[in-house]
Amino acid sequence: MILSTREPEVLLPLLMKAVDALCADRVHFVLDLFTTAKVEQEELSGVRIHENRIEKEFLRGADPTARQVYLCGPKPFEQIILEGIADCGIGSDQVTMEGFAY
């Protein structure tokens, strides 16, 4: 999973709590967190912190087989992800998008 946020102190605890409650014993969960904010790294098992914004090159090498991509974010974020996964051969039929603008 990829999360890009300016507010990791808000979103990360919510996400980790949901993962623990729903699938911690059945799924190997790995989160790539992209943020320029300071993150306390205590007890963040399965979280890889990237202290920058995501770039499409990060997605290089993604395996296009049997993948479904769920995408929600502001337009610049969506564009980077869509370009990155397209470069890997992941087609638009494998992408489910949710509106982010409100």
Coordinates of all heavy atoms in Angstrom, one line a residue:
M1 N 0.9 -1.2 0.0 CA 0.0 0.0 0.0 C 0.9 1.2 0.0 O 2.0 1.2 0.6 CB -0.9 0.0 1.2 CG -1.8 1.2 1.3 SD -3.0 1.1 2.7 CE -4.3 2.0 2.0
I2 N 0.4 2.3 -0.7 CA 1.2 3.5 -0.7 C 0.3 4.6 -0.1 O -0.9 4.7 -0.4 CB 1.5 3.9 -2.2 CG1 2.5 2.9 -2.8 CG2 2.1 5.3 -2.2 CD1 2.7 3.1 -4.3
L3 N 0.8 5.3 0.8 CA 0.2 6.5 1.4 C 1.1 7.7 1.3 O 2.2 7.6 1.7 CB -0.2 6.2 2.9 CG -0.7 7.4 3.7 CD1 -2.1 7.8 3.2 CD2 -0.8 7.0 5.2
S4 N 0.5 8.7 0.8 CA 1.3 10.0 0.7 C 0.5 11.0 1.4 O -0.7 11.3 1.1 CB 1.4 10.4 -0.8 OG 2.2 11.6 -0.9
T5 N 1.1 11.7 2.4 CA 0.3 12.6 3.2 C 1.2 13.6 3.9 O 2.4 13.4 4.2 CB -0.5 11.8 4.3 OG1 -1.2 12.8 5.1 CG2 0.5 11.1 5.3
R6 N 0.6 14.8 4.1 CA 1.3 15.8 4.9 C 1.0 15.6 6.4 O 1.6 16.3 7.2 CB 0.8 17.2 4.5 CG 1.2 17.5 3.1 CD 0.7 18.9 2.7 NE 1.0 19.2 1.3 CZ 0.2 19.9 0.5 NH1 -0.9 20.5 1.0 NH2 0.5 20.0 -0.7
E7 N 0.1 14.8 6.7 CA -0.4 14.6 8.1 C -0.3 13.1 8.5 O -1.3 12.5 8.9 CB -1.8 15.0 8.2 CG -2.0 16.5 7.9 CD -3.5 16.9 7.9 OE1 -4.4 16.1 7.6 OE2 -3.8 18.0 8.3
P8 N 0.9 12.6 8.6 CA 1.1 11.2 8.9 C 0.7 10.9 10.4 O 0.2 9.8 10.7 CB 2.6 10.9 8.7 CG 3.2 12.2 8.8 CD 2.2 13.2 8.3
E9 N 0.8 11.9 11.2 CA 0.4 11.8 12.6 C -1.1 11.5 12.8 O -1.6 11.0 13.8 CB 0.8 12.9 13.5 CG 0.1 14.2 13.3 CD 0.4 15.0 12.0 OE1 1.4 14.6 11.3 OE2 -0.2 16.0 11.7
V10 N -1.9 11.9 11.8 CA -3.4 11.7 11.8 C -3.7 10.4 11.1 O -4.4 9.5 11.6 CB -4.1 12.9 11.1 CG1 -5.6 12.6 11.0 CG2 -3.8 14.2 11.9
L11 N -3.2 10.2 9.9 CA -3.6 9.1 9.0 C -3.0 7.8 9.4 O -3.6 6.7 9.3 CB -3.3 9.4 7.6 CG -4.2 10.6 7.0 CD1 -3.8 10.9 5.6 CD2 -5.7 10.2 7.0
L12 N -1.7 7.8 9.8 CA -1.0 6.6 10.1 C -1.6 5.8 11.2 O -1.9 4.6 11.1 CB 0.5 6.8 10.3 CG 1.4 5.7 10.3 CD1 1.3 4.9 9.0 CD2 2.8 6.1 10.4
P13 N -1.9 6.4 12.4 CA -2.6 5.6 13.4 C -3.9 5.0 13.0 O -4.2 3.9 13.4 CB -2.7 6.6 14.6 CG -1.7 7.7 14.3 CD -1.6 7.7 12.8
L14 N -4.7 5.8 12.3 CA -6.0 5.3 11.8 C -5.8 4.1 10.9 O -6.5 3.1 11.0 CB -6.8 6.4 11.1 CG -7.2 7.5 11.9 CD1 -7.8 8.6 11.0 CD2 -8.3 7.1 12.9
L15 N -4.9 4.2 10.0 CA -4.7 3.1 9.0 C -4.1 1.9 9.7 O -4.6 0.7 9.5 CB -3.7 3.6 7.9 CG -3.4 2.5 6.9 CD1 -4.6 2.1 6.1 CD2 -2.3 3.1 5.9
M16 N -3.2 2.0 10.6 CA -2.6 0.9 11.3 C -3.6 0.2 12.2 O -3.6 -1.0 12.3 CB -1.3 1.3 12.1 CG -0.2 1.9 11.2 SD 0.2 0.8 9.7 CE 1.0 -0.5 10.6
K17 N -4.5 1.0 12.8 CA -5.5 0.4 13.7 C -6.5 -0.4 12.8 O -6.8 -1.6 13.2 CB -6.3 1.5 14.4 CG -7.3 1.0 15.4 CD -8.0 2.1 16.1 CE -9.0 1.6 17.1 NZ -9.7 2.7 17.7
A18 N -6.8 0.1 11.7 CA -7.7 -0.7 10.8 C -7.1 -2.0 10.3 O -7.7 -3.0 10.2 CB -8.1 0.2 9.6
V19 N -5.8 -1.9 9.9 CA -5.1 -3.1 9.4 C -5.0 -4.1 10.6 O -5.3 -5.3 10.3 CB -3.7 -2.7 8.9 CG1 -2.8 -3.9 8.7 CG2 -3.8 -1.9 7.7
D20 N -4.7 -3.7 11.7 CA -4.6 -4.6 12.9 C -5.9 -5.3 13.1 O -6.0 -6.5 13.4 CB -4.1 -3.9 14.1 CG -2.6 -3.6 14.1 OD1 -1.9 -4.1 13.3 OD2 -2.2 -2.7 14.9
A21 N -7.0 -4.5 13.1 CA -8.3 -5.1 13.3 C -8.8 -6.0 12.3 O -9.5 -7.0 12.5 CB -9.3 -3.9 13.5
L22 N -8.5 -5.7 11.0 CA -9.1 -6.5 9.9 C -8.3 -7.6 9.4 O -8.8 -8.6 9.0 CB -9.4 -5.5 8.7 CG -10.4 -4.4 9.0 CD1 -10.5 -3.5 7.8 CD2 -11.7 -5.0 9.3
C23 N -7.0 -7.5 9.4 CA -6.2 -8.5 8.7 C -4.8 -8.8 9.2 O -4.1 -9.5 8.5 CB -6.2 -8.2 7.2 SG -5.3 -6.6 6.9
A24 N -4.4 -8.3 10.3 CA -3.1 -8.5 10.8 C -2.6 -9.9 10.9 O -1.5 -10.3 10.6 CB -2.9 -7.8 12.1
D25 N -3.5 -10.8 11.2 CA -3.1 -12.2 11.3 C -3.3 -13.0 10.0 O -2.8 -14.2 10.0 CB -4.0 -12.9 12.4 CG -5.5 -12.8 12.1 OD1 -5.9 -12.0 11.3 OD2 -6.2 -13.7 12.7
R26 N -3.8 -12.4 9.0 CA -4.0 -13.2 7.7 C -3.2 -12.6 6.5 O -3.1 -13.3 5.5 CB -5.5 -13.1 7.3 CG -6.4 -13.8 8.3 CD -7.8 -13.6 7.9 NE -8.0 -12.2 7.7 CZ -9.2 -11.6 7.8 NH1 -10.2 -12.3 8.0 NH2 -9.3 -10.3 7.7
V27 N -2.7 -11.4 6.6 CA -2.1 -10.7 5.5 C -0.8 -10.1 5.9 O -0.7 -9.5 7.0 CB -3.1 -9.6 5.0 CG1 -2.4 -8.8 3.9 CG2 -4.4 -10.1 4.5
H28 N 0.2 -10.2 5.0 CA 1.5 -9.6 5.2 C 1.3 -8.1 4.7 O 1.2 -8.0 3.4 CB 2.6 -10.3 4.5 CG 3.9 -9.6 4.6 ND1 4.6 -9.5 5.8 CD2 4.6 -8.9 3.7 CE1 5.7 -8.8 5.6 NE2 5.7 -8.4 4.4
F29 N 1.2 -7.2 5.5 CA 0.9 -5.8 5.1 C 2.2 -5.0 5.1 O 2.9 -5.0 6.1 CB -0.1 -5.2 6.1 CG -0.5 -3.8 5.7 CD1 -1.4 -3.5 4.7 CD2 0.0 -2.7 6.4 CE1 -1.8 -2.2 4.4 CE2 -0.3 -1.4 6.1 CZ -1.2 -1.2 5.1
V30 N 2.4 -4.3 4.0 CA 3.6 -3.4 3.9 C 3.0 -2.0 3.4 O 2.3 -2.0 2.4 CB 4.6 -3.9 2.9 CG1 5.8 -2.9 2.8 CG2 5.2 -5.3 3.4
L31 N 3.4 -1.0 4.1 CA 3.0 0.4 3.7 C 4.2 1.2 3.3 O 5.2 1.3 4.1 CB 2.3 1.0 4.9 CG 1.9 2.5 4.7 CD1 0.8 2.7 3.7 CD2 1.5 3.1 6.0
D32 N 4.2 1.8 2.2 CA 5.2 2.8 1.8 C 4.6 4.1 2.1 O 3.6 4.5 1.4 CB 5.6 2.6 0.3 CG 6.5 1.5 0.1 OD1 7.7 1.6 0.5 OD2 6.1 0.5 -0.5
L33 N 5.1 4.8 3.0 CA 4.6 6.1 3.5 C 5.5 7.2 2.9 O 6.7 7.3 3.2 CB 4.6 6.2 5.0 CG 4.3 7.6 5.6 CD1 2.9 8.0 5.2 CD2 4.5 7.6 7.1
F34 N 4.9 8.1 2.1 CA 5.6 9.2 1.5 C 5.2 10.5 2.3 O 4.0 10.8 2.3 CB 5.4 9.4 0.0 CG 6.0 8.3 -0.8 CD1 5.5 7.1 -0.9 CD2 7.3 8.6 -1.4 CE1 6.1 6.1 -1.7 CE2 7.9 7.6 -2.1 CZ 7.3 6.3 -2.3
T35 N 6.1 11.2 2.9 CA 5.8 12.4 3.6 C 7.0 13.2 3.8 O 8.1 12.7 3.9 CB 5.1 12.1 5.0 OG1 4.7 13.3 5.6 CG2 6.1 11.4 5.9
T36 N 6.8 14.5 3.9 CA 7.9 15.4 4.2 C 7.8 15.8 5.7 O 8.7 16.6 6.2 CB 7.9 16.7 3.4 OG1 6.6 17.3 3.5 CG2 8.1 16.4 1.9
A37 N 6.8 15.3 6.4 CA 6.7 15.6 7.8 C 7.5 14.6 8.7 O 7.9 13.5 8.2 CB 5.2 15.4 8.2
K38 N 7.8 15.0 9.9 CA 8.5 14.1 10.8 C 7.6 13.0 11.3 O 6.5 13.2 11.6 CB 9.0 15.0 12.0 CG 9.7 14.2 13.1 CD 11.1 13.9 12.7 CE 11.8 13.2 13.9 NZ 12.6 12.1 13.5
V39 N 8.1 11.8 11.3 CA 7.4 10.6 11.7 C 8.1 9.9 12.8 O 9.3 9.6 12.7 CB 7.2 9.6 10.5 CG1 6.5 8.4 10.9 CG2 6.5 10.3 9.3
E40 N 7.4 9.6 13.9 CA 7.9 8.8 15.0 C 7.9 7.4 14.5 O 6.9 6.9 14.1 CB 7.1 9.0 16.2 CG 7.1 10.4 16.8 CD 8.5 10.9 17.2 OE1 9.3 10.1 17.7 OE2 8.8 12.1 17.0
Q41 N 9.1 6.7 14.5 CA 9.2 5.4 13.9 C 9.0 4.3 15.0 O 9.2 3.1 14.6 CB 10.5 5.3 13.2 CG 10.6 6.2 12.0 CD 11.8 5.9 11.2 OE1 12.4 4.9 11.3 NE2 12.2 6.9 10.3
E42 N 8.6 4.6 16.2 CA 8.4 3.5 17.1 C 7.2 2.6 16.8 O 6.2 3.2 16.4 CB 8.3 4.1 18.5 CG 7.2 5.1 18.7 CD 7.3 6.0 19.9 OE1 8.5 6.4 20.2 OE2 6.3 6.2 20.5
E43 N 7.4 1.3 16.8 CA 6.3 0.4 16.6 C 5.6 0.6 15.2 O 4.4 0.5 15.1 CB 5.3 0.5 17.7 CG 5.8 0.1 19.1 CD 4.7 0.1 20.1 OE1 3.6 -0.3 19.9 OE2 5.1 0.5 21.3
L44 N 6.4 0.8 14.2 CA 5.9 0.9 12.9 C 6.3 -0.3 12.0 O 6.9 -0.2 11.0 CB 6.3 2.2 12.2 CG 5.7 3.5 12.8 CD1 6.3 4.7 12.0 CD2 4.2 3.5 12.7
S45 N 6.0 -1.5 12.5 CA 6.3 -2.7 11.8 C 5.6 -2.7 10.4 O 4.4 -2.5 10.3 CB 5.9 -3.9 12.6 OG 6.1 -5.1 11.9
G46 N 6.3 -3.0 9.4 CA 5.7 -3.1 8.0 C 5.6 -1.7 7.3 O 5.0 -1.6 6.3
V47 N 6.1 -0.6 7.9 CA 6.0 0.7 7.3 C 7.4 1.1 6.9 O 8.4 1.2 7.6 CB 5.5 1.7 8.3 CG1 5.4 3.1 7.7 CG2 4.1 1.3 8.8
R48 N 7.5 1.4 5.6 CA 8.7 2.0 5.0 C 8.5 3.5 4.8 O 7.6 3.9 4.1 CB 9.1 1.3 3.7 CG 9.4 -0.2 3.9 CD 9.8 -0.9 2.7 NE 8.7 -0.9 1.7 CZ 8.5 -1.9 0.9 NH1 9.3 -3.0 0.9 NH2 7.4 -1.9 0.1
I49 N 9.3 4.3 5.4 CA 9.1 5.7 5.4 C 10.0 6.3 4.3 O 11.2 6.1 4.3 CB 9.4 6.4 6.7 CG1 8.4 5.8 7.7 CG2 9.2 7.9 6.6 CD1 8.6 6.2 9.2
H50 N 9.4 7.1 3.4 CA 10.2 7.8 2.4 C 10.0 9.3 2.7 O 8.9 9.8 2.7 CB 9.6 7.5 1.0 CG 9.5 6.0 0.7 ND1 10.6 5.3 0.2 CD2 8.6 5.1 1.0 CE1 10.3 4.1 0.0 NE2 9.0 3.9 0.5
E51 N 11.1 10.0 2.9 CA 11.0 11.4 3.3 C 11.0 12.3 2.1 O 11.8 13.2 1.9 CB 12.1 11.7 4.3 CG 12.0 11.0 5.5 CD 13.2 11.2 6.5 OE1 14.2 11.7 6.1 OE2 13.0 10.8 7.7
N52 N 10.1 12.1 1.2 CA 9.9 12.9 0.0 C 8.6 12.6 -0.6 O 7.8 11.8 -0.1 CB 11.0 12.6 -1.0 CG 11.1 11.1 -1.4 OD1 10.4 10.3 -0.8 ND2 12.0 10.8 -2.3
R53 N 8.3 13.2 -1.8 CA 7.1 13.0 -2.5 C 7.3 11.8 -3.4 O 8.4 11.5 -3.9 CB 6.6 14.2 -3.3 CG 6.2 15.3 -2.5 CD 5.7 16.5 -3.3 NE 5.0 17.4 -2.5 CZ 4.0 18.2 -2.9 NH1 3.7 18.2 -4.2 NH2 3.4 19.0 -2.1
I54 N 6.2 11.1 -3.7 CA 6.3 9.9 -4.6 C 6.5 10.4 -6.0 O 6.0 11.4 -6.4 CB 5.0 9.0 -4.5 CG1 5.3 7.7 -5.2 CG2 3.8 9.8 -5.0 CD1 4.2 6.7 -5.0
E55 N 7.4 9.6 -6.7 CA 7.6 9.8 -8.1 C 7.3 8.6 -8.9 O 7.3 7.5 -8.3 CB 9.1 10.2 -8.3 CG 9.4 11.6 -7.7 CD 10.8 12.0 -7.9 OE1 11.6 11.3 -8.6 OE2 11.2 13.0 -7.3
K56 N 6.9 8.7 -10.1 CA 6.5 7.5 -10.9 C 7.5 6.4 -11.0 O 7.2 5.3 -11.1 CB 6.0 7.9 -12.3 CG 7.0 8.3 -13.2 CD 6.4 8.6 -14.6 CE 7.5 8.7 -15.6 NZ 6.9 8.8 -17.0
E57 N 8.8 6.8 -10.9 CA 9.9 5.8 -10.9 C 9.8 4.8 -9.7 O 10.3 3.7 -9.8 CB 11.2 6.5 -10.9 CG 11.5 7.2 -12.2 CD 10.8 8.6 -12.4 OE1 10.3 9.1 -11.4 OE2 10.7 9.0 -13.5
F58 N 9.2 5.2 -8.6 CA 9.0 4.3 -7.5 C 8.3 3.1 -7.9 O 8.5 2.0 -7.3 CB 8.3 5.1 -6.3 CG 8.0 4.1 -5.2 CD1 9.0 3.8 -4.3 CD2 6.8 3.6 -5.0 CE1 8.8 3.0 -3.2 CE2 6.5 2.7 -3.9 CZ 7.5 2.4 -3.0
L59 N 7.4 3.2 -8.8 CA 6.5 2.1 -9.2 C 7.1 1.2 -10.3 O 6.6 0.2 -10.7 CB 5.2 2.6 -9.8 CG 4.4 3.4 -8.7 CD1 3.3 4.3 -9.4 CD2 3.8 2.5 -7.7
R60 N 8.3 1.6 -10.7 CA 9.0 0.8 -11.8 C 9.2 -0.6 -11.3 O 9.6 -0.9 -10.1 CB 10.4 1.4 -12.0 CG 11.1 0.7 -13.2 CD 12.4 1.4 -13.6 NE 12.1 2.8 -14.0 CZ 12.8 3.9 -13.7 NH1 13.9 3.7 -13.0 NH2 12.5 5.0 -14.2
G61 N 8.9 -1.6 -12.1 CA 9.0 -3.0 -11.7 C 7.8 -3.6 -11.1 O 7.8 -4.7 -10.7
A62 N 6.7 -2.8 -10.9 CA 5.5 -3.4 -10.4 C 5.0 -4.5 -11.3 O 5.0 -4.3 -12.5 CB 4.4 -2.3 -10.2
D63 N 4.5 -5.6 -10.7 CA 4.1 -6.7 -11.5 C 2.7 -6.5 -11.9 O 1.8 -6.4 -11.1 CB 4.2 -7.9 -10.6 CG 3.8 -9.2 -11.3 OD1 3.5 -9.2 -12.5 OD2 3.7 -10.3 -10.6
P64 N 2.4 -6.5 -13.2 CA 1.1 -6.2 -13.7 C 0.1 -7.4 -13.7 O -1.1 -7.2 -13.9 CB 1.3 -5.8 -15.2 CG 2.6 -6.5 -15.6 CD 3.4 -6.6 -14.3
T65 N 0.6 -8.6 -13.3 CA -0.3 -9.7 -13.3 C -1.1 -9.8 -12.0 O -0.6 -9.5 -10.9 CB 0.5 -11.0 -13.4 OG1 1.4 -11.1 -12.3 CG2 1.3 -11.1 -14.7
A66 N -2.4 -10.1 -12.2 CA -3.3 -10.3 -11.0 C -3.3 -9.1 -10.1 O -3.4 -9.3 -8.9 CB -3.0 -11.6 -10.3
R67 N -3.3 -7.9 -10.6 CA -3.3 -6.7 -9.7 C -4.5 -5.9 -9.9 O -5.0 -5.7 -11.1 CB -2.1 -5.8 -10.0 CG -0.7 -6.5 -9.8 CD -0.4 -6.5 -8.3 NE 0.9 -7.2 -8.1 CZ 1.5 -7.3 -7.0 NH1 1.0 -6.7 -5.9 NH2 2.7 -7.9 -6.9
Q68 N -5.0 -5.3 -8.9 CA -6.1 -4.3 -9.0 C -5.5 -3.1 -8.2 O -5.1 -3.3 -7.0 CB -7.4 -4.8 -8.4 CG -8.5 -3.9 -8.5 CD -8.9 -3.6 -9.9 OE1 -8.8 -4.5 -10.8 NE2 -9.4 -2.4 -10.2
V69 N -5.6 -2.0 -8.8 CA -5.1 -0.8 -8.1 C -6.3 0.1 -7.7 O -7.2 0.3 -8.5 CB -4.2 0.1 -9.1 CG1 -3.8 1.4 -8.5 CG2 -3.0 -0.8 -9.5
Y70 N -6.3 0.5 -6.4 CA -7.3 1.4 -5.9 C -6.7 2.7 -5.6 O -5.7 2.7 -4.9 CB -8.0 0.8 -4.6 CG -8.7 -0.5 -4.9 CD1 -8.0 -1.7 -4.8 CD2 -10.0 -0.5 -5.3 CE1 -8.7 -2.9 -5.1 CE2 -10.7 -1.7 -5.6 CZ -10.0 -2.9 -5.5 OH -10.7 -4.1 -5.7
L71 N -7.2 3.7 -6.2 CA -6.5 5.0 -6.2 C -7.5 6.1 -5.8 O -8.6 6.2 -6.3 CB -6.0 5.3 -7.6 CG -5.2 6.6 -7.9 CD1 -4.0 6.7 -7.0 CD2 -4.8 6.6 -9.4
C72 N -7.0 6.9 -4.8 CA -7.7 8.1 -4.4 C -6.7 9.1 -4.0 O -5.9 8.9 -3.2 CB -8.7 7.7 -3.2 SG -9.6 9.1 -2.6
G73 N -6.9 10.3 -4.5 CA -6.0 11.4 -4.1 C -6.2 12.6 -5.0 O -7.0 12.6 -5.9
P74 N -5.5 13.7 -4.7 CA -5.6 14.9 -5.5 C -5.0 14.6 -6.9 O -4.2 13.6 -7.1 CB -4.7 15.9 -4.8 CG -3.8 15.1 -3.9 CD -4.5 13.8 -3.6
K75 N -5.4 15.4 -7.9 CA -5.0 15.1 -9.3 C -3.5 14.9 -9.5 O -3.2 14.0 -10.2 CB -5.6 16.2 -10.2 CG -7.1 16.2 -10.3 CD -7.6 15.0 -11.0 CE -9.1 15.0 -11.2 NZ -9.6 13.7 -11.5
P76 N -2.7 15.7 -9.0 CA -1.2 15.5 -9.2 C -0.8 14.1 -8.7 O 0.0 13.5 -9.4 CB -0.5 16.6 -8.4 CG -1.6 17.7 -8.3 CD -2.9 17.0 -8.2
F77 N -1.2 13.7 -7.6 CA -0.9 12.4 -7.1 C -1.4 11.3 -8.0 O -0.7 10.4 -8.4 CB -1.5 12.2 -5.7 CG -1.3 10.8 -5.1 CD1 -0.1 10.5 -4.5 CD2 -2.3 9.9 -5.0 CE1 0.1 9.2 -4.0 CE2 -2.2 8.7 -4.5 CZ -1.0 8.3 -4.0
E78 N -2.7 11.4 -8.4 CA -3.3 10.4 -9.3 C -2.5 10.3 -10.6 O -2.2 9.2 -11.1 CB -4.7 10.8 -9.6 CG -5.7 10.6 -8.5 CD -7.1 11.0 -8.8 OE1 -7.3 11.7 -9.8 OE2 -8.0 10.7 -8.1
Q79 N -2.1 11.5 -11.1 CA -1.4 11.5 -12.4 C 0.0 10.7 -12.3 O 0.3 10.0 -13.1 CB -1.1 12.9 -12.9 CG -0.6 13.0 -14.3 CD -1.6 12.5 -15.3 OE1 -2.8 12.6 -15.2 NE2 -1.0 11.8 -16.3
I80 N 0.7 11.0 -11.2 CA 2.0 10.3 -11.0 C 1.8 8.8 -10.9 O 2.5 8.0 -11.5 CB 2.7 10.8 -9.7 CG1 3.2 12.2 -9.9 CG2 3.8 9.9 -9.3 CD1 3.6 12.9 -8.7
I81 N 0.8 8.4 -10.1 CA 0.5 6.9 -10.0 C 0.1 6.3 -11.3 O 0.6 5.3 -11.7 CB -0.5 6.7 -8.9 CG1 -0.1 7.2 -7.5 CG2 -0.9 5.2 -8.8 CD1 1.2 6.6 -7.0
L82 N -0.8 7.0 -12.0 CA -1.3 6.4 -13.3 C -0.2 6.3 -14.3 O -0.1 5.3 -15.0 CB -2.5 7.3 -13.8 CG -3.8 7.2 -13.0 CD1 -4.8 8.2 -13.6 CD2 -4.4 5.8 -13.1
E83 N 0.7 7.3 -14.4 CA 1.8 7.2 -15.3 C 2.8 6.1 -14.9 O 3.2 5.3 -15.7 CB 2.6 8.5 -15.3 CG 1.8 9.7 -16.0 CD 2.6 11.0 -15.9 OE1 3.7 11.0 -15.5 OE2 1.9 12.0 -16.3
G84 N 3.0 6.0 -13.6 CA 3.9 4.9 -13.1 C 3.4 3.5 -13.4 O 4.2 2.7 -13.8
I85 N 2.2 3.3 -13.1 CA 1.6 1.9 -13.3 C 1.5 1.6 -14.8 O 1.6 0.5 -15.2 CB 0.4 1.7 -12.5 CG1 -0.8 2.6 -12.9 CG2 0.6 1.8 -11.0 CD1 -2.1 2.3 -12.2
A86 N 1.2 2.7 -15.6 CA 1.1 2.4 -17.1 C 2.4 2.0 -17.6 O 2.5 1.1 -18.5 CB 0.6 3.7 -17.8
D87 N 3.5 2.6 -17.1 CA 4.8 2.3 -17.6 C 5.2 0.8 -17.2 O 6.0 0.2 -17.9 CB 5.9 3.2 -16.9 CG 5.9 4.6 -17.5 OD1 5.2 4.8 -18.5 OD2 6.5 5.5 -16.9
C88 N 4.5 0.2 -16.3 CA 4.7 -1.2 -15.9 C 3.8 -2.1 -16.5 O 3.8 -3.3 -16.3 CB 4.5 -1.3 -14.3 SG 5.7 -0.4 -13.4
G89 N 2.9 -1.6 -17.4 CA 1.9 -2.5 -18.1 C 0.6 -2.7 -17.3 O -0.1 -3.6 -17.7
I90 N 0.4 -2.0 -16.3 CA -0.9 -2.1 -15.6 C -1.9 -1.2 -16.3 O -1.7 0.0 -16.4 CB -0.8 -1.7 -14.1 CG1 0.2 -2.6 -13.4 CG2 -2.1 -1.7 -13.4 CD1 0.6 -2.3 -12.0
G91 N -2.9 -1.9 -16.9 CA -3.9 -1.2 -17.7 C -5.0 -0.5 -16.9 O -5.2 -0.7 -15.7
S92 N -5.7 0.5 -17.6 CA -6.7 1.2 -16.9 C -7.9 0.4 -16.5 O -8.6 0.7 -15.5 CB -7.2 2.3 -17.9 OG -7.7 1.7 -19.1
D93 N -8.0 -0.8 -17.1 CA -9.1 -1.7 -16.6 C -8.7 -2.4 -15.2 O -9.6 -3.0 -14.6 CB -9.3 -2.8 -17.6 CG -8.0 -3.7 -17.9 OD1 -6.9 -3.1 -17.9 OD2 -8.2 -4.9 -18.1
Q94 N -7.5 -2.2 -14.8 CA -7.1 -2.7 -13.5 C -7.1 -1.6 -12.4 O -6.7 -1.8 -11.3 CB -5.7 -3.3 -13.6 CG -5.6 -4.5 -14.5 CD -4.2 -4.9 -14.7 OE1 -3.6 -4.4 -15.7 NE2 -3.6 -5.8 -13.9
V95 N -7.6 -0.4 -12.7 CA -7.6 0.7 -11.8 C -9.0 1.1 -11.4 O -9.9 1.3 -12.3 CB -6.9 1.9 -12.5 CG1 -6.9 3.1 -11.5 CG2 -5.5 1.6 -12.9
T96 N -9.3 1.2 -10.2 CA -10.5 1.7 -9.6 C -10.2 3.0 -8.9 O -9.4 3.0 -8.0 CB -11.2 0.7 -8.6 OG1 -11.4 -0.5 -9.3 CG2 -12.4 1.3 -8.0
M97 N -10.9 4.1 -9.4 CA -10.6 5.4 -8.8 C -11.7 5.9 -8.0 O -12.9 5.7 -8.4 CB -10.2 6.4 -9.9 CG -8.9 6.0 -10.6 SD -8.4 7.1 -11.9 CE -8.2 8.6 -11.0
E98 N -11.4 6.6 -7.0 CA -12.4 7.2 -6.1 C -12.2 8.7 -6.1 O -11.0 9.2 -6.0 CB -12.3 6.7 -4.7 CG -13.3 7.3 -3.7 CD -14.7 6.7 -4.0 OE1 -14.9 5.6 -4.4 OE2 -15.7 7.5 -3.7
G99 N -13.2 9.5 -6.2 CA -13.0 11.0 -6.3 C -12.5 11.5 -4.9 O -12.8 11.0 -3.9
F100 N -11.6 12.5 -5.0 CA -11.0 13.0 -3.8 C -11.4 14.5 -3.6 O -11.3 15.0 -2.5 CB -9.4 13.0 -4.0 CG -8.7 13.4 -2.8 CD1 -8.6 12.5 -1.7 CD2 -8.0 14.6 -2.7 CE1 -7.9 12.9 -0.6 CE2 -7.3 15.0 -1.6 CZ -7.2 14.1 -0.5
A101 N -11.9 15.1 -4.7 CA -12.2 16.5 -4.5 C -13.6 16.7 -3.8 O -14.5 16.0 -4.1 CB -12.4 17.2 -5.9
Y102 N -13.6 17.5 -2.8 CA -14.8 17.8 -2.1 C -14.8 19.2 -1.5 O -13.8 19.9 -1.5 CB -15.1 16.8 -1.0 CG -13.9 16.6 0.0 CD1 -13.8 17.4 1.1 CD2 -13.0 15.7 -0.3 CE1 -12.8 17.2 2.0 CE2 -11.9 15.5 0.6 CZ -11.8 16.3 1.7 OH -10.8 16.1 2.6

